[in-house]
Amino acid sequence: MVLGKQGAGKGTQCVRLSHHYVVPHVSTGDMLRAAVKSGSTLGLKVKAIMDRGELLGDDIIMEMVAERLAEPDARARGFILDGCPRTTTQAEMLAAMLEPLQLDLVIDIEVPTSQVLKRLASRRVCVDCNTNYSVSAPPRVNWTCDVCGGEVIQREDDTEEAIRRRLELYERETAPLIDWYRSRGLLAQVNGSGAPDAVLRRIVRAIEQRRSQGAPHR
Ligand code: AMP
């Protein structure tokens, strides 16, 4: 599972990790954006909450995650969980859901807030496959996604107000998970500054280190 402030590069690193280890990338944000795109009644409700930078209810999120993790690919190969849990309640529900197993490792990508604010302001994303770009590293052709040809836009929840609210909620609801996972011996903190390739190397090193040590006992 990968933790970190909004804009710390979680999404980008999770996609890379899922390619590196050939395991599914399970992103609650991507699943919610797909619900919004479908235009369903649920999607419309979800969109209003996301656009304000608020968190969705724990039950609805964990129900969605449980369904996804029960699919054959996640059961067979494991998964990279991105954007969940975001609250202690979600972490408790996830732990109960995974019993008798547990997460192998929780990676906290550390990036100072001043850097995160800059990254979020320049973040652009593909509406179809969610690949992340930035104003300084755009797709090759005219804001068309290099991966799938979709349109690359600014996320609707990347407004100044929504960003402020998401960071506030991160500090209040999500940051306590750092100690929660540390106390369970599951946390690795990785410096998220610098080029994405360098950050990925640090994350892979942390994972390999954990693998060589074996899983912590409960
Ligand atoms: P993300 O793409 O991870 O930044 O998520 C985008 C938005 O989806 C968040 O700002 C929340 O509104 C919602 N969201 C995603 N994951 C969760 C979660 N685990 N719990 C509550 N809300 C979530």
Side-chain angles (χ1 to χ4, degrees):
M1 201 273 281
V2 179
L3 260 178
K5 293 186 190 103
Q6 283 64 40
K10 282 193 310 289
T12 304
Q13 295 300 338
C14 285
V15 170
R16 286 160 169 251
L17 283 174
S18 81
H19 292 164
H20 186 90
Y21 289 107
V22 199
V23 291
H25 169 209
V26 176
S27 156
T28 45
D30 286 355
M31 287 192 265
L32 292 168
R33 279 183 285 277
V36 170
K37 225 172 143 194
S38 76
S40 62
T41 321
L42 174 74
L44 288 177
K45 269 193 210 153
V46 166
K47 180 173 169 22
I49 296 170
M50 289 172 81
D51 285 354
R52 290 200 307 273
E54 300 292 336
L55 292 176
L56 276 108
D58 294 327
D59 288 338
I60 195 169
I61 292 285
M62 295 318 291
E63 209 173 293
M64 200 172 76
V65 168
E67 254 177 49
R68 178 64 187 91
L69 297 187
E71 283 177 31
D73 60 344
R75 292 173 67 106
R77 299 205 46 89
F79 47 84
I80 309 278
L81 194 52
D82 171 8
C84 178
R86 260 174 155 99
T87 65
T88 312
T89 306
Q90 289 180 17
E92 280 161 359
M93 290 168 87
L94 179 67
M97 189 191 297
L98 297 177
E99 283 269 7
L101 302 175
Q102 62 173 339
L103 292 171
D104 294 315
L105 187 62
V106 174
I107 305 274
D108 176 35
I109 305 183
E110 295 183 291
V111 178
T113 302
S114 57
Q115 231 182 80
V116 150
L117 287 171
K118 275 192 212 146
R119 287 192 193 177
L120 286 175
S122 80
R123 173 161 79 177
R124 300 293 182 270
V125 60
C126 170
V127 290
D128 290 330
C129 74
N130 296 299
T131 297
N132 276 309
Y133 297 91
S134 75
V135 170
S136 54
R140 281 190 292 272
V141 184
N142 203 18
W143 297 106
T144 299
C145 180
D146 292 341
V147 178
C148 76
E151 189 189 0
V152 174
I153 60 157
Q154 181 158 31
R155 258 169 64 163
E156 289 191 37
D157 59 349
D158 275 349
T159 60
E160 214 181 298
E161 209 175 316
I163 288 171
R164 196 170 346 105
R165 182 65 182 143
R166 272 148 66 210
L167 287 171
E168 241 172 57
L169 285 172
Y170 170 82
E171 293 301 338
R172 201 178 77 198
E173 303 289 344
T174 310
L177 290 178
I178 295 175
D179 279 341
W180 200 89
Y181 281 116
R182 184 185 288 121
S183 69
R184 286 161 178 78
L186 290 174
L187 187 78
Q189 290 186 292
V190 166
N191 172 3
S193 298
D197 283 348
V199 179
L200 179 67
R201 278 197 296 275
R202 289 176 208 141
I203 296 176
V204 170
R205 207 178 305 136
I207 294 173
E208 294 310 319
Q209 203 172 351
R210 168 51 54 100
R211 277 184 151 177
S212 67
Q213 290 164 351
H217 298 290
R218 305 199 82 184

